[in-house]
């Protein structure tokens, strides 16, 4: 995209996550030129517009503008299908926050519509485009791990805090699977390829929580919290690699992550894929003489910011100009959504659920990708 005009962007949604997107897309990604922001409450959009020097408007006004080619949807997942459909029908390319929708059937309809309209559709998570998981990808592709046979994910969150802070986590489609496991499953698919089947047990043991934040207007109130907060799953990839995904949001501690990929030549330890950065460590195989081996921290590319949200839309703009598929593609987002939904279904059926869809493993990020 070097030498080309940046792509005009309109942001739909002015919630908490919009600040990091607006900051990064305005300051760090020359592929993009943010023009406007809309929100269900226009006063929220107006506040963001003043802060970032852009226009505030209704979503309908934004989608009618000729200087906006890419709509970035940052609203709760339950609104995604409606807003993405509107944007595609208006002739815009669309990138959305995760998950692509709250239901695979809705997502399939959007993929079909995007194809019919000749528009590109992309979806978060885009954390796999950051230096940590790209370093892991390079290690895997180079053969550093040898033959890979398994992986293990185990992570926790503290719902007492999170449910008090973020009301969207109490809405349908924002349980531990769609809101948090999506990062791990997207990372796995980007690193190791698509999945074939899964079997899972999920639980929602606490259907209400008390708001514990003193600064919250709802402090002390009982909140309905119907979403699943625990999952323990087996996952078999199409390559034959198998592994476990265990997540618990009912923990007393904030996010802790264990993410390991096991190979015949060593073990790769990855950071929480909810972020873009973090140490990637490699433990080589034990020598035949049983001598001591040292854990190695793999070198990573230096980036101008640690929270790189917005890299998905920027890479997508490059892809549109080059006439190729974007890396944070709708096809991969749909496949990941089907995996997560299959985990929920497996809990109901008590057995393995096959994953019908597949996707291409995205290409590694180029060394000359533009950031500033």
């Amino acid at each position: 995209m070097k030498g080309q005009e940046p792509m005009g962007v309109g942001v739909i949604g002015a919630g908490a996550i919009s600040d990091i997107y607006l900051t990064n897309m305005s300051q760090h990604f020359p592929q993009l030129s943010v023009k406007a922001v809309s929100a269900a409450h226009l006063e929220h959009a107006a506040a963001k517009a003043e802060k970032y020097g852009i226009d505030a408007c209704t979503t309908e006004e934004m989608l009618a503008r000729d200087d906006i080619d890419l709509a970035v949807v940052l609203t709760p997942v339950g609104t995604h299908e409606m807003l993405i459909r509107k944007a595609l029908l208006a002739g815009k390319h669309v990138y959305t926050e995760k998950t692509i929708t709250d239901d695979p059937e809705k997502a399939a309809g959007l993929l079909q519509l995007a194809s019919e309209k000749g528009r590109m559709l992309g979806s978060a998570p885009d954390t796999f485009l950051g230096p940590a998981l790209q370093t892991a990808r390079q290690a895997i592709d180079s053969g550093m791990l040898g033959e890979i046979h398994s992986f293990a994910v185990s992570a926790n969150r503290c719902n007492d805090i999170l449910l008090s802070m973020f009301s969207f986590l109490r809405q349908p489609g924002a349980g531990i699977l769609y809101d948090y496991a999506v990062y791990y499953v997207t990372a796995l698919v980007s690193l190791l390829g698509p999945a074939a089947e899964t079997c899972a047990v999920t639980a929602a043991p606490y259907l209400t929580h008390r708001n514990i934040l003193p600064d919250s207007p709802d402090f002390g109130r009982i909140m309905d919290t119907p979403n699943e907060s625990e999952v323990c799953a087996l996952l078999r990839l199409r390559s034959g690699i198998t592994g476990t995904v265990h997540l618990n949001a009912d923990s007393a501690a904030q996010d802790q992550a264990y993410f390991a990929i096991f190979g015949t030549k060593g073990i790769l330890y990855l950071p929480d894929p909810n972020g873009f950065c973090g140490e990637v460590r490699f433990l080589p195989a034990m020598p035949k003489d049983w001598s001591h081996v040292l854990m190695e921290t793999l070198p990573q590319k230096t980036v101008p910011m640690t929270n790189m949200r917005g890299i998905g839309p920027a890479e997508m703009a490059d892809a549109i100009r080059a006439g190729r598929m974007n890396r944070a593609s709708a096809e991969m987002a749909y496949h990941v959504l089907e995996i997560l939904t299959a985990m929920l279904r497996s809990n109901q059926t008590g057995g393995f659920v096959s994953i019908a869809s597949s996707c291409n493993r995205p290409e590694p990020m180029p060394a000359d990708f533009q950031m500033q």
Side-chain angles (χ1 to χ4, degrees), residues 223-246:
M223 309 171 292
D224 290 330
T225 53
N227 293 323
E228 84 286 345
S229 55
E230 300 172 13
V231 60
C232 188
L234 300 175
L235 189 61
R236 184 174 70 83
L237 306 185
R238 290 180 180 268
S239 63
I241 297 171
T242 58
T244 57
V245 177
H246 163 258

Side-chain angles (χ1 to χ4, degrees), residues 136-312:
R137 172 66 181 266
Q138 184 177 33
I140 290 167
D141 288 355
S142 72
M144 180 180 284
L145 275 70
E147 288 188 61
I148 296 171
H149 295 290
S150 65
F151 58 85
V153 166
S154 184
N156 70 280
R157 312 203 89 181
C158 181
N159 256 353
D160 284 341
I161 296 172
L162 293 171
L163 292 169
S164 297
M165 290 177 64
F166 303 113
S167 61
F168 75 87
L169 291 176
R170 308 193 293 269
Q171 298 177 13
I176 190 69
L177 280 166
Y178 289 179
D179 186 66
Y180 193 44
V182 62
Y183 292 102
Y184 285 93
V185 176
T186 299
L188 286 167
V189 171
S190 75
L191 293 171
L192 303 176
E197 62 179 350
T198 187
C199 180
V201 175
T202 68
Y206 305 108
L207 299 179
T208 62
H209 282 72
R210 185 181 298 276
N211 190 305
I212 64 170
L213 294 184
D215 294 338
S216 170
D218 296 324
F219 175 61
R221 294 183 184 177
I222 300 297
M223 309 171 292
D224 290 330
T225 53
N227 293 323
E228 84 286 345
S229 55
E230 300 172 13
V231 60
C232 188
L234 300 175
L235 189 61
R236 184 174 70 83
L237 306 185
R238 290 180 180 268
S239 63
I241 297 171
T242 58
T244 57
V245 177
H246 163 258
L247 298 168
N248 179 5
D250 298 317
S251 169
Q254 296 191 45
D255 297 11
Q256 309 288 318
Y258 178 86
F259 187 1
I261 299 175
F262 303 94
T264 55
K265 292 183 179 180
I267 304 171
L268 198 65
Y269 295 97
L270 290 77
D272 184 347
N274 188 22
F276 293 85
C277 302
E279 286 189 348
V280 177
R281 297 171 298 146
F282 177 67
L283 181 65
M286 183 70 69
K288 292 182 179 179
D289 62 1
W290 295 90
S291 57
H292 185 63
V293 294
L294 296 176
M295 185 88 75
E296 175 187 355
T297 299
L298 303 184
Q300 295 182 28
K301 179 182 177 182
T302 302
V303 294
M305 63 289 199
T306 57
N307 188 336
M308 300 169 67
R309 281 177 170 81
I311 192 173

